[in-house]
Amino acid sequence: MSTENIPTKIASNAELQPTRRRFFIVAVLFIGIMVAYLDRVNVTVLAANDNFLLDMGIKGQPVQIGMMMSAFLAAYGLANVTLSPLGDYLGPRKAMVFCIVLWTISLFIGGFAISFSMFIIARILLGIGEGFYYPMQSLFIKNWFPPQERGRANATWIIGQSLAPAIAMPVFTYIIGSYSWRDTFFICIALGLIPLYLLWFHTKDTPRESEKVNALELEYIEEGLAKENAPAGDKQSFLQRVKPFALNYRYWLLVFWYVCLQFMFWGLVSWLPTYLKSARNFSWTEMGWMASLPFILTVMTKAVNGWLNDRIGRSAPLLCVTMLLGASSIYLAATVPGKYLSAILLSCAFGFTSMATSSAWTLLQGLVPAKSLSTAAGTMNGLATGFSSLSPVVIGFFISLSGSYSTGLLCLVGVGFLAAVIAAVLVAHKY
């Protein structure tokens, strides 16, 4: 039997199978957002470290401690709104590479900071870089995934937001305790080289541009996009990109819900290690491990949410139920007497509150056409993050006013119930 045609037959059979390059893209997005969140949450561990607080001159000043996260979030939100439209012109790949370079510079400044003002400058620069970066993730998903796969695709990269703090809390606690708080910045710089390399050398803005995508995968993706009536014309003006969502009240309801989510999330993240250490009397080592528990649980809840979203084909019910559960968990965590029970309830609060994050982005991608998505995503994330920048300072204010960390947490409960009401309106409209 002749074997001279076997390689040709193997190649032919392989060509009958669609490539799966879109899943590699979502893996790159997962790595990128994970590194970004490592960079931004290390300050929450620093807020509980006496050496850092003394070096910065903010020991015993809760409002100034809250400002470290608030300065980042304010710059982050502003960059989302003002810079994200550039992503429609540059494309997500070039925009994200630029952002990584920018936030690497900010990490150098933070690692060598010798004053609180210098540290705040580093946080602002980090906020600008990461604020421009985040909406590009959604644009990649819109370009590479048909609508029926976006729930799980969004859940996959968004899980990186939870996995990063789960790793960061115990690891950064160990590094700070054993070496120096400055070393956490240098480790983040090194990790940032990974997504920088992957984005520049191994991704393209669209599947049609990628030589790694065969005809079958391309046909599958573009058929899904065609059913969604995704526009494919020339670049539009700013007003043409804004109009499809600016007059859509459902979009603004989603934005309001997302504002509430981010306000709760960043309030919890900013004060979690300090709350566990100072209010619940966990040791430094215990605090590091207990502070990672909420994010471990969030990884699981986000994965379940992605499956549920694709299964039921609707996002709004998940937005509503998860906020009700999250707000209830925060209330119980702040009022129960036992420290371990409080830590578990806080973990549940994180898990429920953040569970439907991917559903919000899936709903957004269904509401807004591709040509407007970068601008719409940046506006939504920018407004949400801008308002959430008040959360760490507001909590710090309540702590300084009442002398109780629990009072700071309780202000988040009302925000959660308000978000559930907003989501209920979207549920009534069958979203």
Short mmCIF file of all heavy atoms in Angstrom, two decimals, residues 60-92:
data_model
loop_
_atom_site.label_atom_id
_atom_site.label_comp_id
_atom_site.label_asym_id
_atom_site.label_seq_id
_atom_site.Cartn_x
_atom_site.Cartn_y
_atom_site.Cartn_z
N GLY A 60 -2.70 55.92 60.87
CA GLY A 60 -3.82 56.41 61.66
C GLY A 60 -4.68 57.45 60.97
O GLY A 60 -5.43 58.17 61.64
N GLN A 61 -4.60 57.56 59.66
CA GLN A 61 -5.39 58.53 58.91
C GLN A 61 -6.25 57.81 57.85
O GLN A 61 -5.83 57.67 56.70
CB GLN A 61 -4.47 59.55 58.23
CG GLN A 61 -3.59 60.33 59.21
CD GLN A 61 -2.71 61.34 58.51
OE1 GLN A 61 -3.17 62.13 57.69
NE2 GLN A 61 -1.43 61.33 58.84
N PRO A 62 -7.44 57.31 58.23
CA PRO A 62 -8.25 56.48 57.31
C PRO A 62 -8.66 57.17 56.02
O PRO A 62 -8.78 56.52 54.99
CB PRO A 62 -9.47 56.10 58.17
CG PRO A 62 -9.49 57.06 59.29
CD PRO A 62 -8.06 57.44 59.54
N VAL A 63 -8.90 58.48 56.06
CA VAL A 63 -9.29 59.18 54.83
C VAL A 63 -8.14 59.17 53.83
O VAL A 63 -8.32 58.91 52.63
CB VAL A 63 -9.73 60.62 55.14
CG1 VAL A 63 -9.99 61.38 53.84
CG2 VAL A 63 -10.99 60.63 56.01
N GLN A 64 -6.90 59.43 54.29
CA GLN A 64 -5.73 59.40 53.41
C GLN A 64 -5.46 57.99 52.90
O GLN A 64 -5.07 57.80 51.74
CB GLN A 64 -4.50 59.95 54.13
CG GLN A 64 -4.46 61.45 54.25
CD GLN A 64 -5.36 61.97 55.37
OE1 GLN A 64 -6.03 61.21 56.05
NE2 GLN A 64 -5.37 63.29 55.53
N ILE A 65 -5.69 57.01 53.75
CA ILE A 65 -5.52 55.62 53.32
C ILE A 65 -6.51 55.30 52.20
O ILE A 65 -6.16 54.67 51.19
CB ILE A 65 -5.72 54.66 54.51
CG1 ILE A 65 -4.56 54.84 55.51
CG2 ILE A 65 -5.79 53.21 54.04
CD1 ILE A 65 -4.76 54.11 56.82
N GLY A 66 -7.75 55.75 52.36
CA GLY A 66 -8.74 55.55 51.30
C GLY A 66 -8.39 56.28 50.02
O GLY A 66 -8.72 55.82 48.92
N MET A 67 -7.68 57.39 50.12
CA MET A 67 -7.29 58.16 48.94
C MET A 67 -6.37 57.39 48.01
O MET A 67 -6.34 57.65 46.80
CB MET A 67 -6.60 59.46 49.36
CG MET A 67 -7.54 60.57 49.80
SD MET A 67 -6.62 62.04 50.30
CE MET A 67 -5.76 62.42 48.76
N MET A 68 -5.61 56.43 48.54
CA MET A 68 -4.69 55.66 47.68
C MET A 68 -5.46 54.91 46.60
O MET A 68 -5.02 54.84 45.45
CB MET A 68 -3.86 54.70 48.52
CG MET A 68 -2.90 55.36 49.48
SD MET A 68 -1.75 54.18 50.24
CE MET A 68 -2.87 53.09 51.12
N MET A 69 -6.61 54.34 46.97
CA MET A 69 -7.43 53.66 45.97
C MET A 69 -8.30 54.65 45.22
O MET A 69 -8.53 54.51 44.02
CB MET A 69 -8.29 52.59 46.64
CG MET A 69 -9.06 51.72 45.65
SD MET A 69 -7.98 50.77 44.51
CE MET A 69 -7.48 49.43 45.59
N SER A 70 -8.77 55.68 45.91
CA SER A 70 -9.65 56.65 45.26
C SER A 70 -8.93 57.40 44.14
O SER A 70 -9.52 57.67 43.09
CB SER A 70 -10.19 57.65 46.29
OG SER A 70 -11.08 57.01 47.18
N ALA A 71 -7.66 57.77 44.35
CA ALA A 71 -6.91 58.47 43.31
C ALA A 71 -6.76 57.60 42.07
O ALA A 71 -6.91 58.08 40.93
CB ALA A 71 -5.53 58.86 43.84
N PHE A 72 -6.48 56.32 42.28
CA PHE A 72 -6.40 55.38 41.16
C PHE A 72 -7.73 55.29 40.42
O PHE A 72 -7.79 55.38 39.19
CB PHE A 72 -5.99 54.00 41.67
CG PHE A 72 -6.25 52.88 40.70
CD1 PHE A 72 -5.38 52.63 39.67
CD2 PHE A 72 -7.40 52.10 40.82
CE1 PHE A 72 -5.63 51.61 38.75
CE2 PHE A 72 -7.67 51.09 39.91
CZ PHE A 72 -6.78 50.84 38.88
N LEU A 73 -8.82 55.12 41.17
CA LEU A 73 -10.13 54.91 40.56
C LEU A 73 -10.62 56.15 39.82
O LEU A 73 -11.24 56.05 38.77
CB LEU A 73 -11.13 54.50 41.63
CG LEU A 73 -10.91 53.12 42.26
CD1 LEU A 73 -11.86 52.90 43.44
CD2 LEU A 73 -11.10 52.01 41.23
N ALA A 74 -10.34 57.34 40.37
CA ALA A 74 -10.75 58.57 39.70
C ALA A 74 -10.05 58.72 38.35
O ALA A 74 -10.68 59.03 37.33
CB ALA A 74 -10.45 59.78 40.59
N ALA A 75 -8.73 58.47 38.33
CA ALA A 75 -7.98 58.54 37.06
C ALA A 75 -8.43 57.43 36.12
O ALA A 75 -8.55 57.64 34.90
CB ALA A 75 -6.49 58.42 37.35
N TYR A 76 -8.71 56.27 36.66
CA TYR A 76 -9.16 55.11 35.89
C TYR A 76 -10.49 55.44 35.19
O TYR A 76 -10.66 55.18 33.99
CB TYR A 76 -9.32 53.94 36.85
CG TYR A 76 -9.70 52.61 36.24
CD1 TYR A 76 -8.73 51.64 35.98
CD2 TYR A 76 -11.03 52.29 35.97
CE1 TYR A 76 -9.08 50.41 35.47
CE2 TYR A 76 -11.38 51.07 35.45
CZ TYR A 76 -10.40 50.13 35.20
OH TYR A 76 -10.75 48.90 34.69
N GLY A 77 -11.42 55.99 35.96
CA GLY A 77 -12.71 56.32 35.38
C GLY A 77 -12.62 57.39 34.31
O GLY A 77 -13.25 57.30 33.26
N LEU A 78 -11.82 58.42 34.56
CA LEU A 78 -11.65 59.49 33.57
C LEU A 78 -11.03 58.96 32.28
O LEU A 78 -11.44 59.32 31.17
CB LEU A 78 -10.78 60.60 34.17
CG LEU A 78 -10.58 61.85 33.30
CD1 LEU A 78 -11.92 62.53 33.05
CD2 LEU A 78 -9.60 62.81 33.97
N ALA A 79 -10.03 58.09 32.42
CA ALA A 79 -9.38 57.51 31.24
C ALA A 79 -10.34 56.63 30.46
O ALA A 79 -10.31 56.60 29.22
CB ALA A 79 -8.15 56.70 31.66
N ASN A 80 -11.22 55.90 31.16
CA ASN A 80 -12.23 55.08 30.49
C ASN A 80 -13.07 55.91 29.54
O ASN A 80 -13.30 55.54 28.39
CB ASN A 80 -13.13 54.42 31.53
CG ASN A 80 -12.72 53.01 31.87
OD1 ASN A 80 -13.56 52.12 31.94
ND2 ASN A 80 -11.45 52.79 32.10
N VAL A 81 -13.55 57.03 30.03
CA VAL A 81 -14.47 57.86 29.26
C VAL A 81 -13.76 58.62 28.14
O VAL A 81 -14.23 58.68 27.01
CB VAL A 81 -15.22 58.84 30.18
CG1 VAL A 81 -16.11 59.77 29.37
CG2 VAL A 81 -16.06 58.08 31.20
N THR A 82 -12.60 59.19 28.47
CA THR A 82 -11.95 60.09 27.51
C THR A 82 -11.03 59.39 26.52
O THR A 82 -10.87 59.85 25.38
CB THR A 82 -11.13 61.15 28.27
OG1 THR A 82 -10.14 60.50 29.09
CG2 THR A 82 -12.03 62.00 29.15
N LEU A 83 -10.42 58.27 26.92
CA LEU A 83 -9.44 57.61 26.05
C LEU A 83 -9.99 56.41 25.30
O LEU A 83 -9.45 56.05 24.24
CB LEU A 83 -8.22 57.16 26.88
CG LEU A 83 -7.42 58.27 27.56
CD1 LEU A 83 -6.22 57.68 28.30
CD2 LEU A 83 -6.93 59.30 26.54
N SER A 84 -11.05 55.78 25.81
CA SER A 84 -11.54 54.57 25.16
C SER A 84 -11.94 54.76 23.70
O SER A 84 -11.79 53.83 22.90
CB SER A 84 -12.69 53.96 25.96
OG SER A 84 -13.77 54.86 26.06
N PRO A 85 -12.47 55.95 23.27
CA PRO A 85 -12.77 56.11 21.85
C PRO A 85 -11.54 55.92 20.95
O PRO A 85 -11.68 55.56 19.78
CB PRO A 85 -13.31 57.54 21.76
CG PRO A 85 -13.90 57.80 23.10
CD PRO A 85 -12.98 57.10 24.06
N LEU A 86 -10.33 56.16 21.49
CA LEU A 86 -9.12 55.94 20.69
C LEU A 86 -8.97 54.47 20.30
O LEU A 86 -8.33 54.16 19.29
CB LEU A 86 -7.88 56.38 21.48
CG LEU A 86 -7.73 57.89 21.74
CD1 LEU A 86 -6.52 58.15 22.60
CD2 LEU A 86 -7.65 58.66 20.43
N GLY A 87 -9.57 53.59 21.11
CA GLY A 87 -9.49 52.17 20.79
C GLY A 87 -10.17 51.82 19.48
O GLY A 87 -9.80 50.87 18.80
N ASP A 88 -11.20 52.61 19.11
CA ASP A 88 -11.89 52.37 17.85
C ASP A 88 -11.00 52.72 16.66
O ASP A 88 -11.21 52.23 15.55
CB ASP A 88 -13.18 53.20 17.79
CG ASP A 88 -14.19 52.76 18.83
OD1 ASP A 88 -14.37 51.54 19.00
OD2 ASP A 88 -14.80 53.63 19.48
N TYR A 89 -10.01 53.57 16.87
CA TYR A 89 -9.11 53.97 15.80
C TYR A 89 -7.80 53.16 15.82
O TYR A 89 -7.33 52.71 14.78
CB TYR A 89 -8.80 55.47 15.93
CG TYR A 89 -9.99 56.35 15.68
CD1 TYR A 89 -10.72 56.88 16.74
CD2 TYR A 89 -10.42 56.65 14.39
CE1 TYR A 89 -11.83 57.68 16.52
CE2 TYR A 89 -11.53 57.45 14.17
CZ TYR A 89 -12.23 57.96 15.24
OH TYR A 89 -13.34 58.75 15.01
N LEU A 90 -7.24 52.99 17.01
CA LEU A 90 -5.98 52.23 17.12
C LEU A 90 -6.19 50.73 16.97
O LEU A 90 -5.31 50.02 16.51
CB LEU A 90 -5.33 52.50 18.49
CG LEU A 90 -4.83 53.91 18.77
CD1 LEU A 90 -4.32 54.01 20.20
CD2 LEU A 90 -3.72 54.29 17.79
N GLY A 91 -7.37 50.26 17.38
CA GLY A 91 -7.60 48.82 17.49
C GLY A 91 -7.20 48.37 18.88
O GLY A 91 -6.31 48.96 19.52
N PRO A 92 -7.83 47.32 19.41
CA PRO A 92 -7.57 46.91 20.80
C PRO A 92 -6.14 46.46 21.06
O PRO A 92 -5.60 46.70 22.14
CB PRO A 92 -8.57 45.77 21.03
CG PRO A 92 -8.94 45.28 19.66
CD PRO A 92 -8.86 46.49 18.78
#
